[in-house]
Structures are given as C-alpha cells and as structure tokens.
Amino acid sequence: MRERTTTPIRLDQAVSGILLRLGGLAVIAVIVLVVVNVGRGVLSQSANRYVAASQALAEAHAGMLDEETGLRGFLDTGVPSFLQPYRAGQQELEQGTAALQQAVGGDPALLDGFVALRLAASAWLSGWAATAVAQAPHAGSTPAFLGSGKVLFDSYRAAEATLNSSIDAAIGRAQKSANAVAFGGLVVEVGVGLAGGLLWWRERRALRRALVGPVANILTTLEDIAGGNYREPDGTDDGPAELQEVMRRLSGVAATLHAARAGMQHRELEAAEHATRLRSIVDMGREIAGSLNLGYVLEAVSRSVVANGCGSRCIIWLTDEDQDTLTAAYDSAGLQGRAAGLTAVAMADQAMGKAARFGRIVGPEPVSHPGVADPWSHAIAVPMSVGSRIVGVIEAGADHAVELSNLDMELIDTLSSQAATAIEAARLYERAEELGRTDALTLLPNRRDLDTTIAAEVARAARYGRSVAVAMLDLDHFKAVNDSFGHARGDDVLQQVAAVLRSVVREVDTIYRYGGEEFLVLMPETNCDSGVELCDRLREAVRARVTLPNGHRPTISGGVAAFPAQADSPEGLIAAADEALYRAKSAGRDCV
C-alpha cells in the first residue's frame, strides 16, 4: 500500500521544487504556465458567465411555470389560494430575468434569443395572464380564452428552448476552448520537461502519482453528478491539499443535490396526492350539484370525507330552524347512514357546536359520543355555511389524532363549501315539497298527498288481497259557524277538529283535509264495518271535545266505503265514500 504523509503536500510547493532544480528552464516553464492559466481564467470567466445565464434562465422559467400553474388552478376552481404560486412566480420571474439580462450583457450570440424570450413572456403576461387575474373566478375559463393562453405560453416555451440551446452551445464552445488551451499548455509542459532531463522526469513521476488519481476521481465524480448519481465521492484524502479541498467540496455539492432531489420528489408526491384528492372533491361536487335528494347528498359528502383520509368515520350534523341545535342527519358507520343513538348538540358544545357557533374548523381534539357503538377518541369538526348561515357541521372522527396539513385543511374546507350549497338546496326542496303536500291551516296532509298515497294503498291491497277503507267526514252546518262568528273563529274550530281526529285514529291511519270543512281518513287493512266503527268514535270524540264559540258542540257526518267491496279504484273509492256521506246528510246528519 502507498504510504500517506501526515500533512499533504501543496501543489505550489511541488512546483517550486521543480523550479529550483531546473533553473532557467523552469522559469520559462513558469512563464508558459502563467500564460496558459491566464487563458484558462479568461475562458473560465466566460464559461461561468454562460453558466450563470443558464441558471438565471432556469429561475425565470420556473417563475413562469409557477404563474401558469397557479393561474390555471384559479380559473379551474375559483379558489383564491391558487393565486399564491402565481404571485410568488412573478417575483421569481423578475429576479431570474434581471440575472439573465446581466449575464447575457451584449453577447450577440445570446442577445437576439433574450429579446425574443422577453417579448414572448410579456405577450403571455400582459396579453392573457393579467386579463385572467383581473376577471372574476371562472369568468375567463372559456375554451377560446384558455386556448389563446396556451398558444401564447407555447410561444414563450419555444423562445425559452431556443435561448437555452444557444446558452448550452456557448458553454460548449467555452469549454472546448478551455480544453484546447489546457491541451496546448500540456504539450508545452511536456516539451519543457523533456529538456529538463532526468531530474524533471523523476519529479514529473512524483507529481503524476500525486495528481492523476485524484483528478480522475474528480472527473468521475463530476460525471456521476451530471448523470444524476449524487453519491459521496471516494478518495477525498488523496492528492495535494487543493485537490483534497476540491473533493471535499464536491462531496458537499453531491450531498446538497441529493437532498434537493429527495425534497423535490417528496413535493411531487405531495402535489400528485393533493391533485388526486382535489379531483375527487370536484367529482363529488359535480355528483351532488344536480341532486335534490338530501339522503343522497349526505351519503356522497360522507363518502368523500372518508375517502380523502380526513377520518375513518363521518357524521353530518344539520342545524335546526332556530339555529341553536345540531341534529345528526347521517353517520357513515350506521346502517344505511342512520344516525342512531346520537343526541342533539347545542351550539358551542363539543367540537361540532364550537365549529357551528364560531364558523371555523375545530380540532382534531378528543371527543366522545356516549352510548354509541365504537366511539372514536379524536375528531375534527368543519362548519358548512352558505353565506353567513351555518347549514351544519361535518364531524370526521378516528381512534387517534389525525394529522392534517394545510393542504388537507384547504381540501376539507373546499369540500364543506360544496356540501353546504348542495345540502341547503336539498333541504329547501324537501321543505317546499312538504309544504306543497300539507294543509297550512290544520297541518294535515292535503289532497295532493292523498292522490299519491291512496293509489299506492289500493294497489297494495289489490296485490295481497286485502281491504282498505276510506271515510269522508264533514262538519254539520259549518257555514253557519262562519256566518255567525267569522272565518277566523271558523278556522279555529277546524284546527280543533283536526287535532281531535289526529288523536283518535290509529297510527296506521292518515287524516287528510279534503277541502273546506271536509276531512278524509285513509284506513289500510280495514273493511267497511271496521271503518264505520272508527268513524263513530271520531264523531263522538268531536262532539265531546270541540266547543263552538257559542258554547254548543259541533257534530259531524260521515260516509265510509271500502276496497274492493264498494269500489275497484282509488277514484271510485272516494266517490263511494262521498255518496255515503251524502246519505248521512240526508238522514239527518250526526251519523255515519
């Protein structure tokens, strides 16, 4: 093995020894070396300027890509946070352009490409990007507008590629000239060395042993770095002190590049994951945007919350009319989403109440639901709001504290915004449907609801060979009540009658306000005789519990018909009951 000295020899010391031994010839060699080194320095300075121009172009190009990516995201989603990379890209572009202009200088080989690049970038920035930012979200996302932006950005890319090729060519020329100067210097050194005799030859052998191995190692390391292999170089303690310092610095450069590449790969993975999750939320938004079925909307929102890793279980809480209580409307762990065993939560109580009360995301924090199977230990609560109105809260729970990044928070906030709009629309639709099927005075189902229900009941009775009965009830002499006491008191009497009827019928029976002072009772699994018995109880209850303004007791008359005994269709059934009611009126009223 080759022995190493404790202190590595310096290259200038070795050269000084040769000069002392060779005398005047060495002086000539030194002069030649000085000339060669000056030439190398000049060429190296030129090459460094071109390298600086390449780095500045890469920085400016990265800024343009950040601006284009952020702006496309803003136009696609309307989320203002996507403009942050756009703003950062502007600063990066300005810095890179200034550095590029300084590096290019007046070089005629690069000046035309630089001017073309600036014109193309300015055309995209002022002719398209500024217009897109100035407009409201989505307003500029038409195919034609987006297409024009792509054409301008493609022009910029072409100009950037041309300038980059010119810089690479200039670097190659400078390196080629430097190599030529180095080769010429080597030839001169060899000639002077041959004239120096045996002593120079011996010293040259010593220098070659000290330099060739480390320089080869340096070149190998540089080739590895250029090829993307950022391993730590070997032989950092070989050769003169200068080369050892070069190897140590190359080792630091390789470590820095390795760390940078690892960070870039991590960011790329994060960006890909973020894009995938954002795409799933956008798909969910499209899926629920056209649905007015509240159950379907709640299921889709819950499924998206769990799929995006915000929790292993999701409960959706909806606010009541007074905006002071949250009621569980959907539980992803329940059978078909049923929120069984979950009690209502007051505003500012638990994580859900705090989120609804203060309109912000709460958690992750410890939470529990007593009496619920498989309760979780931590949850995050996200308010759903439409304007300033809190629609409800998304509670995403897990059996451990889920760590959510800023991107996760933005995603779930976006999800909650889309969910709030869809849920509010579905609730308004259901409320409108309910109002359309309910009598406003008595709060009983109306004839519109009857038309749907009676048809289904008759069809079911026909299918299974059962009976269904209908009773038509009418308050006797009700016109006299309105004429004597006014319509307001008459409405009060109707409300009393509706309440009495509702309290007497069975749970399976349904009472409808048929019109005016007429009521209809739909009685499944009931024949005509049983229907008459129920109507008699209703008649007696009204007479016993309802009081007219003058203290008298009202009476009702009723007619009962059953399917299939008296009719074979829903319309015929109602007509038969109405005919029976007419006979009761003719028989003196207050009878069935």
Side-chain angles (χ1 to χ4, degrees):
M1 296 179 62
R2 178 172 57 87
E3 295 183 357
R4 291 182 180 174
T5 59
T6 303
T7 303
I9 187 172
R10 291 180 56 84
L11 185 60
D12 56 353
Q13 293 174 345
V15 174
S16 297
I18 295 175
L19 291 175
L20 290 173
R21 292 177 178 86
L22 294 180
L25 184 61
V27 171
I28 298 175
V30 170
I31 294 174
V32 173
L33 287 174
V34 169
V35 172
V36 171
N37 286 330
V38 169
R40 287 177 179 174
V42 173
L43 293 175
S44 176
Q45 183 177 6
S46 176
N48 290 338
R49 182 167 62 85
Y50 291 133
V51 170
S54 178
Q55 294 173 345
L57 177 60
E59 181 180 3
H61 183 59
M64 284 289 288
L65 292 178
D66 287 345
E67 288 189 65
E68 198 267 351
T69 302
L71 191 53
R72 290 283 180 175
F74 172 68
L75 291 178
D76 287 342
T77 66
V79 178
S81 60
F82 278 98
L83 287 178
Q84 292 177 359
Y86 173 78
R87 305 298 184 195
Q90 289 180 322
Q91 184 177 0
E92 190 176 4
L93 174 63
E94 292 175 0
Q95 293 174 351
T97 302
L100 179 61
Q101 183 175 1
Q102 182 178 1
V104 170
D107 193 332
L110 305 179
L111 188 57
D112 291 343
F114 173 77
V115 171
L117 176 69
R118 291 299 301 137
L119 291 176
S122 177
W124 183 82
L125 290 168
S126 60
W128 187 82
T131 302
V133 172
Q135 295 180 358
H138 301 290
S141 57
T142 61
F145 184 75
L146 294 176
S148 65
K150 183 179 184 303
V151 171
L152 292 174
F153 201 82
D154 288 344
S155 299
Y156 157 76
R157 284 182 180 272
E160 188 272 341
T162 301
L163 179 56
N164 193 38
S165 299
S166 300
I167 293 174
D168 289 342
I171 293 175
R173 290 193 298 271
Q175 291 177 342
K176 184 176 180 180
S177 299
N179 292 337
V181 170
F183 180 77
L186 181 61
V187 171
V188 174
E189 289 177 4
V190 171
V192 174
L194 290 175
L198 181 60
L199 179 62
W200 185 92
W201 177 78
R202 187 182 66 180
E203 295 296 335
R204 180 174 177 274
R205 287 183 59 192
L207 284 177
R208 286 181 62 84
R209 284 195 303 268
L211 294 177
V212 171
V215 170
N217 195 14
I218 291 174
L219 293 177
T220 301
T221 301
L222 290 174
E223 290 176 357
D224 289 342
I225 292 175
N229 181 11
Y230 305 130
R231 67 174 181 84
E232 184 176 352
D234 299 326
T236 55
D237 295 331
D238 292 341
E242 293 88 345
L243 295 184
Q244 292 183 23
E245 180 64 22
V246 170
M247 289 300 296
R248 282 192 290 270
R249 296 198 177 189
L250 279 178
S251 177
V253 169
T256 301
L257 291 175
H258 178 73
R261 183 172 68 176
M264 182 179 299
Q265 291 174 343
H266 178 70
R267 288 191 294 273
E268 288 177 354
L269 291 174
E270 283 187 339
E273 180 183 1
H274 178 63
T276 300
R277 295 172 63 183
L278 181 61
R279 191 180 306 113
S280 72
I281 292 176
V282 171
D283 292 341
M284 184 275 297
R286 291 173 180 167
E287 182 180 358
I288 66 177
S291 175
L292 293 175
N293 185 306
L294 181 60
Y296 177 78
V297 172
L298 295 177
E299 179 187 0
V301 173
S302 174
R303 186 171 61 246
S304 183
V305 169
V306 176
N308 280 282
C310 299
S312 59
R313 183 175 178 181
C314 175
I315 297 178
I316 299 179
W317 301 80
L318 300 181
T319 56
D320 61 359
E321 291 290 339
D322 298 327
Q323 290 277 297
D324 58 6
T325 304
L326 292 169
T327 303
Y330 190 91
D331 183 359
S332 64
L335 180 62
Q336 295 182 344
R338 294 189 181 92
L342 292 169
T343 58
V345 175
M347 290 292 186
D349 189 15
Q350 299 190 45
M352 304 78 72
K354 294 175 185 177
R357 174 67 176 83
F358 302 109
R360 59 178 174 80
I361 297 176
V362 176
E365 66 176 36
V367 68
S368 63
H369 294 289
V372 178
D374 301 325
W376 53 83
S377 60
H378 291 78
I380 179 173
V382 184
M384 298 181 292
S385 60
V386 177
S388 60
R389 172 182 169 81
I390 299 297
V391 175
V393 173
I394 297 174
E395 180 187 7
D399 56 3
H400 61 282
V402 180
E403 295 184 3
L404 299 176
S405 65
N406 291 333
L407 290 179
D408 294 327
M409 290 295 190
E410 291 180 6
L411 286 171
I412 196 170
D413 189 52
T414 301
L415 185 151
S416 68
S417 298
Q418 295 186 1
T421 303
I423 289 173
E424 184 70 358
R427 292 179 74 183
L428 289 175
Y429 176 77
E430 286 191 352
R431 191 174 296 116
E433 280 287 299
E434 181 181 354
L435 291 175
R437 295 177 176 272
T438 303
D439 176 58
L441 177 64
T442 62
L443 301 182
L444 295 175
N446 58 19
R447 290 184 63 174
R448 178 184 176 189
D449 190 66
L450 171 65
D451 291 341
T452 302
T453 308
I454 193 172
E457 286 295 338
V458 169
R460 188 174 66 86
R463 184 182 306 114
Y464 297 107
R466 303 296 179 86
S467 177
V468 58
V470 165
M472 186 75 76
L473 306 176
D474 183 82
L475 277 168
D476 297 329
H477 304 296
F478 186 72
K479 182 177 183 301
V481 175
N482 284 332
D483 293 342
S484 300
F485 307 108
H487 287 279
R489 300 302 298 273
D491 289 345
D492 181 62
V493 172
L494 289 175
Q495 290 174 338
Q496 291 184 53
V497 171
V500 171
L501 296 178
R502 189 185 294 112
S503 67
V504 175
V505 297
R506 304 168 302 178
E507 289 186 3
V508 296
D509 301 331
T510 308
I511 306 172
Y512 301 86
R513 186 181 181 191
Y514 195 72
E517 64 274 20
E518 287 186 319
F519 298 88
L520 185 143
V521 184
L522 180 61
M523 298 169 282
E525 304 288 337
T526 305
N527 57 29
C528 193
D529 293 337
S530 298
V532 169
E533 292 177 5
L534 176 60
C535 283
D536 274 327
R537 291 199 302 272
L538 295 173
R539 180 177 58 83
E540 292 171 358
V542 169
R543 185 167 52 188
R545 294 161 56 181
V546 178
T547 304
L548 297 177
N550 59 2
H552 293 169
R553 299 289 185 175
T555 61
I556 62 173
S557 300
V560 180
F563 171 89
Q566 281 78 41
D568 59 0
S569 67
E571 297 80 7
L573 187 58
I574 294 175
D578 193 53
E579 174 62 25
L581 172 63
Y582 178 77
R583 294 199 303 270
K585 292 285 189 180
S586 300
R589 296 181 171 83
D590 193 18
C591 65
V592 178

Short mmCIF file of all heavy atoms in Angstrom, two decimals, residues 345-398:
data_model
loop_
_atom_site.label_atom_id
_atom_site.label_comp_id
_atom_site.label_asym_id
_atom_site.label_seq_id
_atom_site.Cartn_x
_atom_site.Cartn_y
_atom_site.Cartn_z
N VAL A 345 -76.92 18.31 19.73
CA VAL A 345 -75.82 19.05 20.35
C VAL A 345 -76.13 20.54 20.27
O VAL A 345 -76.49 21.05 19.21
CB VAL A 345 -74.48 18.74 19.65
CG1 VAL A 345 -73.37 19.59 20.22
CG2 VAL A 345 -74.15 17.27 19.77
N ALA A 346 -75.99 21.21 21.40
CA ALA A 346 -76.23 22.65 21.42
C ALA A 346 -75.05 23.40 20.83
O ALA A 346 -73.92 22.90 20.80
CB ALA A 346 -76.48 23.12 22.86
N MET A 347 -75.32 24.61 20.34
CA MET A 347 -74.26 25.46 19.80
C MET A 347 -73.20 25.71 20.88
O MET A 347 -73.53 25.90 22.06
CB MET A 347 -74.83 26.79 19.34
CG MET A 347 -75.69 26.68 18.10
SD MET A 347 -74.72 26.25 16.64
CE MET A 347 -75.98 26.36 15.37
N ALA A 348 -71.93 25.70 20.47
CA ALA A 348 -70.76 25.91 21.33
C ALA A 348 -70.49 24.73 22.25
O ALA A 348 -69.60 24.80 23.10
CB ALA A 348 -70.90 27.19 22.15
N ASP A 349 -71.22 23.61 22.08
CA ASP A 349 -70.99 22.42 22.89
C ASP A 349 -70.25 21.39 22.05
O ASP A 349 -70.65 21.12 20.91
CB ASP A 349 -72.32 21.85 23.40
CG ASP A 349 -72.11 20.74 24.41
OD1 ASP A 349 -70.97 20.63 24.92
OD2 ASP A 349 -73.07 20.00 24.70
N GLN A 350 -69.19 20.82 22.58
CA GLN A 350 -68.34 19.86 21.88
C GLN A 350 -67.74 20.51 20.63
O GLN A 350 -67.94 21.68 20.35
CB GLN A 350 -69.12 18.59 21.53
CG GLN A 350 -69.67 17.84 22.75
CD GLN A 350 -70.21 16.48 22.36
OE1 GLN A 350 -69.58 15.75 21.61
NE2 GLN A 350 -71.39 16.15 22.89
N ALA A 351 -66.97 19.70 19.92
CA ALA A 351 -66.29 20.24 18.74
C ALA A 351 -67.29 20.69 17.68
O ALA A 351 -67.10 21.72 17.03
CB ALA A 351 -65.34 19.18 18.15
N MET A 352 -68.39 19.91 17.51
CA MET A 352 -69.37 20.26 16.48
C MET A 352 -70.04 21.60 16.80
O MET A 352 -70.19 22.47 15.93
CB MET A 352 -70.44 19.18 16.36
CG MET A 352 -69.88 17.78 16.09
SD MET A 352 -69.22 17.02 17.59
CE MET A 352 -70.75 16.67 18.47
N GLY A 353 -70.46 21.78 18.05
CA GLY A 353 -71.11 23.02 18.43
C GLY A 353 -70.19 24.21 18.33
O GLY A 353 -70.61 25.31 17.93
N LYS A 354 -68.90 24.02 18.68
CA LYS A 354 -67.95 25.13 18.55
C LYS A 354 -67.76 25.53 17.09
O LYS A 354 -67.70 26.72 16.75
CB LYS A 354 -66.61 24.72 19.16
CG LYS A 354 -66.64 24.50 20.66
CD LYS A 354 -65.30 23.98 21.15
CE LYS A 354 -65.34 23.64 22.63
NZ LYS A 354 -64.05 23.05 23.11
N ALA A 355 -67.65 24.52 16.22
CA ALA A 355 -67.48 24.83 14.80
C ALA A 355 -68.67 25.59 14.25
O ALA A 355 -68.52 26.54 13.48
CB ALA A 355 -67.26 23.53 14.01
N ALA A 356 -69.89 25.18 14.65
CA ALA A 356 -71.09 25.87 14.17
C ALA A 356 -71.22 27.25 14.80
O ALA A 356 -71.65 28.21 14.13
CB ALA A 356 -72.33 25.03 14.49
N ARG A 357 -70.86 27.37 16.07
CA ARG A 357 -71.02 28.65 16.76
C ARG A 357 -70.05 29.70 16.24
O ARG A 357 -70.43 30.86 16.04
CB ARG A 357 -70.79 28.43 18.27
CG ARG A 357 -70.79 29.70 19.10
CD ARG A 357 -72.19 30.34 19.12
NE ARG A 357 -72.22 31.50 19.98
CZ ARG A 357 -71.82 32.72 19.61
NH1 ARG A 357 -71.37 32.90 18.39
NH2 ARG A 357 -71.87 33.73 20.46
N PHE A 358 -68.79 29.31 16.01
CA PHE A 358 -67.77 30.28 15.63
C PHE A 358 -67.43 30.26 14.14
O PHE A 358 -66.63 31.06 13.67
CB PHE A 358 -66.51 30.06 16.46
CG PHE A 358 -66.74 30.14 17.94
CD1 PHE A 358 -66.68 28.99 18.73
CD2 PHE A 358 -67.05 31.34 18.54
CE1 PHE A 358 -66.90 29.06 20.09
CE2 PHE A 358 -67.28 31.42 19.91
CZ PHE A 358 -67.22 30.27 20.69
N GLY A 359 -68.02 29.32 13.38
CA GLY A 359 -67.82 29.29 11.94
C GLY A 359 -66.39 28.99 11.51
O GLY A 359 -65.91 29.53 10.52
N ARG A 360 -65.69 28.13 12.25
CA ARG A 360 -64.32 27.77 11.88
C ARG A 360 -64.07 26.29 12.18
O ARG A 360 -64.83 25.67 12.92
CB ARG A 360 -63.32 28.64 12.65
CG ARG A 360 -63.43 28.51 14.16
CD ARG A 360 -62.38 29.34 14.87
NE ARG A 360 -62.56 29.34 16.32
CZ ARG A 360 -62.18 28.37 17.13
NH1 ARG A 360 -61.59 27.29 16.62
NH2 ARG A 360 -62.37 28.46 18.44
N ILE A 361 -63.00 25.77 11.59
CA ILE A 361 -62.65 24.37 11.80
C ILE A 361 -62.14 24.19 13.23
O ILE A 361 -61.32 24.97 13.71
CB ILE A 361 -61.59 23.91 10.78
CG1 ILE A 361 -62.14 24.01 9.36
CG2 ILE A 361 -61.12 22.49 11.07
CD1 ILE A 361 -61.12 23.67 8.29
N VAL A 362 -62.61 23.15 13.90
CA VAL A 362 -62.20 22.85 15.27
C VAL A 362 -61.61 21.45 15.30
O VAL A 362 -62.19 20.50 14.78
CB VAL A 362 -63.40 22.93 16.24
CG1 VAL A 362 -62.97 22.53 17.65
CG2 VAL A 362 -64.00 24.34 16.25
N GLY A 363 -60.45 21.32 15.94
CA GLY A 363 -59.84 20.01 16.10
C GLY A 363 -58.57 19.87 15.29
O GLY A 363 -58.09 20.84 14.70
N PRO A 364 -58.00 18.67 15.28
CA PRO A 364 -58.51 17.48 15.98
C PRO A 364 -58.43 17.64 17.50
O PRO A 364 -57.44 18.16 18.00
CB PRO A 364 -57.59 16.34 15.51
CG PRO A 364 -56.86 16.88 14.31
CD PRO A 364 -56.79 18.35 14.53
N GLU A 365 -59.46 17.20 18.19
CA GLU A 365 -59.47 17.24 19.64
C GLU A 365 -60.24 16.03 20.17
O GLU A 365 -61.06 15.45 19.46
CB GLU A 365 -60.10 18.54 20.14
CG GLU A 365 -61.58 18.70 19.83
CD GLU A 365 -62.13 19.98 20.44
OE1 GLU A 365 -61.41 21.00 20.47
OE2 GLU A 365 -63.28 19.94 20.90
N PRO A 366 -59.97 15.65 21.41
CA PRO A 366 -60.68 14.49 21.98
C PRO A 366 -62.18 14.72 22.02
O PRO A 366 -62.65 15.81 22.32
CB PRO A 366 -60.09 14.37 23.39
CG PRO A 366 -58.78 15.05 23.31
CD PRO A 366 -58.95 16.17 22.32
N VAL A 367 -62.94 13.68 21.67
CA VAL A 367 -64.40 13.78 21.67
C VAL A 367 -64.97 12.39 21.85
O VAL A 367 -64.32 11.39 21.53
CB VAL A 367 -64.91 14.41 20.35
CG1 VAL A 367 -64.67 13.48 19.19
CG2 VAL A 367 -66.38 14.77 20.45
N SER A 368 -66.17 12.31 22.39
CA SER A 368 -66.83 11.01 22.53
C SER A 368 -68.32 11.20 22.43
O SER A 368 -68.85 12.29 22.69
CB SER A 368 -66.47 10.36 23.87
OG SER A 368 -66.96 11.15 24.95
N HIS A 369 -69.01 10.13 22.05
CA HIS A 369 -70.47 10.12 21.96
C HIS A 369 -70.97 9.00 22.86
O HIS A 369 -70.95 7.83 22.45
CB HIS A 369 -70.94 9.92 20.53
CG HIS A 369 -70.58 11.06 19.63
ND1 HIS A 369 -71.17 12.29 19.72
CD2 HIS A 369 -69.67 11.16 18.63
CE1 HIS A 369 -70.66 13.09 18.81
NE2 HIS A 369 -69.73 12.44 18.13
N PRO A 370 -71.39 9.29 24.08
CA PRO A 370 -71.83 8.23 24.99
C PRO A 370 -72.96 7.41 24.39
O PRO A 370 -73.88 7.94 23.77
CB PRO A 370 -72.31 9.01 26.23
CG PRO A 370 -71.61 10.33 26.14
CD PRO A 370 -71.46 10.62 24.67
N GLY A 371 -72.87 6.09 24.58
CA GLY A 371 -73.93 5.20 24.11
C GLY A 371 -73.79 4.79 22.67
O GLY A 371 -74.58 4.00 22.17
N VAL A 372 -72.81 5.33 21.97
CA VAL A 372 -72.64 4.99 20.56
C VAL A 372 -71.62 3.88 20.44
O VAL A 372 -70.56 3.92 21.07
CB VAL A 372 -72.18 6.22 19.75
CG1 VAL A 372 -71.94 5.84 18.30
CG2 VAL A 372 -73.23 7.32 19.86
N ALA A 373 -71.94 2.86 19.65
CA ALA A 373 -71.02 1.74 19.46
C ALA A 373 -69.75 2.22 18.76
O ALA A 373 -69.80 3.04 17.84
CB ALA A 373 -71.69 0.65 18.64
N ASP A 374 -68.59 1.68 19.18
CA ASP A 374 -67.29 2.01 18.59
C ASP A 374 -67.06 3.51 18.54
O ASP A 374 -66.82 4.10 17.47
CB ASP A 374 -67.18 1.44 17.16
CG ASP A 374 -67.35 -0.06 17.16
OD1 ASP A 374 -66.90 -0.69 18.12
OD2 ASP A 374 -67.94 -0.58 16.20
N PRO A 375 -67.13 4.22 19.67
CA PRO A 375 -66.86 5.66 19.64
C PRO A 375 -65.40 5.93 19.32
O PRO A 375 -64.53 5.11 19.58
CB PRO A 375 -67.22 6.10 21.07
CG PRO A 375 -66.98 4.89 21.90
CD PRO A 375 -67.35 3.72 21.03
N TRP A 376 -65.10 7.09 18.76
CA TRP A 376 -63.73 7.44 18.46
C TRP A 376 -63.20 8.38 19.53
O TRP A 376 -63.95 8.92 20.34
CB TRP A 376 -63.61 8.08 17.08
CG TRP A 376 -64.54 9.23 16.87
CD1 TRP A 376 -64.36 10.52 17.24
CD2 TRP A 376 -65.83 9.18 16.26
NE1 TRP A 376 -65.43 11.27 16.90
CE2 TRP A 376 -66.36 10.49 16.29
CE3 TRP A 376 -66.58 8.16 15.68
CZ2 TRP A 376 -67.60 10.80 15.77
CZ3 TRP A 376 -67.81 8.48 15.16
CH2 TRP A 376 -68.31 9.77 15.21
N SER A 377 -61.89 8.59 19.52
CA SER A 377 -61.28 9.40 20.57
C SER A 377 -60.97 10.82 20.10
O SER A 377 -60.84 11.71 20.93
CB SER A 377 -59.99 8.74 21.05
OG SER A 377 -59.08 8.60 19.97
N HIS A 378 -60.82 11.03 18.81
CA HIS A 378 -60.49 12.35 18.29
C HIS A 378 -61.38 12.65 17.09
O HIS A 378 -61.81 11.74 16.37
CB HIS A 378 -59.03 12.44 17.87
CG HIS A 378 -58.07 12.39 19.02
ND1 HIS A 378 -57.74 11.21 19.66
CD2 HIS A 378 -57.39 13.38 19.66
CE1 HIS A 378 -56.89 11.48 20.63
NE2 HIS A 378 -56.66 12.77 20.66
N ALA A 379 -61.64 13.92 16.89
CA ALA A 379 -62.48 14.31 15.76
C ALA A 379 -62.11 15.72 15.32
O ALA A 379 -61.60 16.53 16.10
CB ALA A 379 -63.96 14.24 16.11
N ILE A 380 -62.38 16.01 14.07
CA ILE A 380 -62.27 17.35 13.53
C ILE A 380 -63.65 17.77 13.06
O ILE A 380 -64.37 16.98 12.45
CB ILE A 380 -61.24 17.43 12.37
CG1 ILE A 380 -61.16 18.85 11.83
CG2 ILE A 380 -61.57 16.45 11.26
CD1 ILE A 380 -60.05 19.02 10.80
N ALA A 381 -64.05 18.98 13.39
CA ALA A 381 -65.38 19.48 13.04
C ALA A 381 -65.22 20.64 12.07
O ALA A 381 -64.50 21.60 12.34
CB ALA A 381 -66.13 19.93 14.29
N VAL A 382 -65.89 20.54 10.92
CA VAL A 382 -65.79 21.54 9.86
C VAL A 382 -67.17 22.14 9.61
O VAL A 382 -68.10 21.40 9.25
CB VAL A 382 -65.23 20.92 8.56
CG1 VAL A 382 -65.03 22.00 7.51
CG2 VAL A 382 -63.94 20.19 8.83
N PRO A 383 -67.33 23.45 9.79
CA PRO A 383 -68.65 24.05 9.56
C PRO A 383 -68.98 24.11 8.07
O PRO A 383 -68.10 24.30 7.23
CB PRO A 383 -68.50 25.45 10.15
CG PRO A 383 -67.04 25.75 10.03
CD PRO A 383 -66.33 24.44 10.21
N MET A 384 -70.25 23.93 7.77
CA MET A 384 -70.76 24.10 6.40
C MET A 384 -71.64 25.34 6.38
O MET A 384 -72.62 25.41 7.13
CB MET A 384 -71.56 22.87 5.96
CG MET A 384 -70.77 21.59 5.92
SD MET A 384 -71.76 20.17 5.35
CE MET A 384 -72.91 20.00 6.72
N SER A 385 -71.27 26.31 5.57
CA SER A 385 -72.00 27.57 5.58
C SER A 385 -72.33 28.00 4.17
O SER A 385 -71.59 27.75 3.22
CB SER A 385 -71.18 28.66 6.27
OG SER A 385 -69.94 28.87 5.59
N VAL A 386 -73.49 28.66 4.05
CA VAL A 386 -73.90 29.30 2.80
C VAL A 386 -74.04 30.78 3.13
O VAL A 386 -74.97 31.19 3.82
CB VAL A 386 -75.23 28.73 2.29
CG1 VAL A 386 -75.66 29.48 1.04
CG2 VAL A 386 -75.11 27.25 2.01
N GLY A 387 -73.08 31.57 2.66
CA GLY A 387 -73.04 32.96 3.08
C GLY A 387 -72.70 33.02 4.56
O GLY A 387 -71.72 32.45 5.04
N SER A 388 -73.51 33.73 5.34
CA SER A 388 -73.29 33.82 6.78
C SER A 388 -74.11 32.80 7.55
O SER A 388 -74.05 32.74 8.77
CB SER A 388 -73.65 35.23 7.27
OG SER A 388 -75.02 35.51 6.98
N ARG A 389 -74.87 31.96 6.87
CA ARG A 389 -75.74 30.99 7.51
C ARG A 389 -75.04 29.65 7.64
O ARG A 389 -74.54 29.09 6.66
CB ARG A 389 -77.03 30.83 6.70
CG ARG A 389 -77.95 29.70 7.19
CD ARG A 389 -79.18 29.59 6.30
NE ARG A 389 -79.93 28.38 6.57
CZ ARG A 389 -80.79 28.23 7.56
NH1 ARG A 389 -81.00 29.25 8.38
NH2 ARG A 389 -81.45 27.10 7.74
N ILE A 390 -74.99 29.13 8.86
CA ILE A 390 -74.41 27.81 9.11
C ILE A 390 -75.46 26.75 8.81
O ILE A 390 -76.52 26.72 9.43
CB ILE A 390 -73.92 27.67 10.56
CG1 ILE A 390 -72.83 28.72 10.85
CG2 ILE A 390 -73.38 26.28 10.79
CD1 ILE A 390 -71.57 28.56 10.04
N VAL A 391 -75.17 25.90 7.84
CA VAL A 391 -76.10 24.84 7.44
C VAL A 391 -75.93 23.61 8.32
O VAL A 391 -76.89 22.93 8.67
CB VAL A 391 -75.88 24.49 5.96
CG1 VAL A 391 -76.75 23.31 5.54
CG2 VAL A 391 -76.18 25.70 5.10
N GLY A 392 -74.70 23.33 8.70
CA GLY A 392 -74.43 22.15 9.51
C GLY A 392 -72.94 22.00 9.74
O GLY A 392 -72.15 22.93 9.49
N VAL A 393 -72.52 20.83 10.22
CA VAL A 393 -71.12 20.58 10.57
C VAL A 393 -70.77 19.17 10.11
O VAL A 393 -71.55 18.23 10.28
CB VAL A 393 -70.88 20.71 12.09
CG1 VAL A 393 -69.46 20.28 12.45
CG2 VAL A 393 -71.13 22.14 12.54
N ILE A 394 -69.58 19.05 9.50
CA ILE A 394 -69.02 17.74 9.17
C ILE A 394 -68.10 17.33 10.31
O ILE A 394 -67.14 18.03 10.61
CB ILE A 394 -68.25 17.78 7.84
CG1 ILE A 394 -69.18 18.14 6.68
CG2 ILE A 394 -67.56 16.45 7.58
CD1 ILE A 394 -68.44 18.35 5.37
N GLU A 395 -68.38 16.20 10.93
CA GLU A 395 -67.52 15.68 12.00
C GLU A 395 -66.81 14.44 11.47
O GLU A 395 -67.43 13.42 11.18
CB GLU A 395 -68.34 15.33 13.23
CG GLU A 395 -67.49 14.79 14.37
CD GLU A 395 -68.31 14.28 15.54
OE1 GLU A 395 -69.55 14.22 15.41
OE2 GLU A 395 -67.71 13.92 16.56
N ALA A 396 -65.48 14.56 11.32
CA ALA A 396 -64.66 13.45 10.86
C ALA A 396 -63.90 12.90 12.05
O ALA A 396 -63.10 13.60 12.66
CB ALA A 396 -63.69 13.90 9.76
N GLY A 397 -64.15 11.64 12.42
CA GLY A 397 -63.58 11.06 13.62
C GLY A 397 -62.66 9.90 13.33
O GLY A 397 -62.72 9.27 12.27
N ALA A 398 -61.78 9.63 14.27
CA ALA A 398 -60.86 8.49 14.17
C ALA A 398 -60.49 8.07 15.58
O ALA A 398 -60.72 8.80 16.55
CB ALA A 398 -59.60 8.87 13.37
#
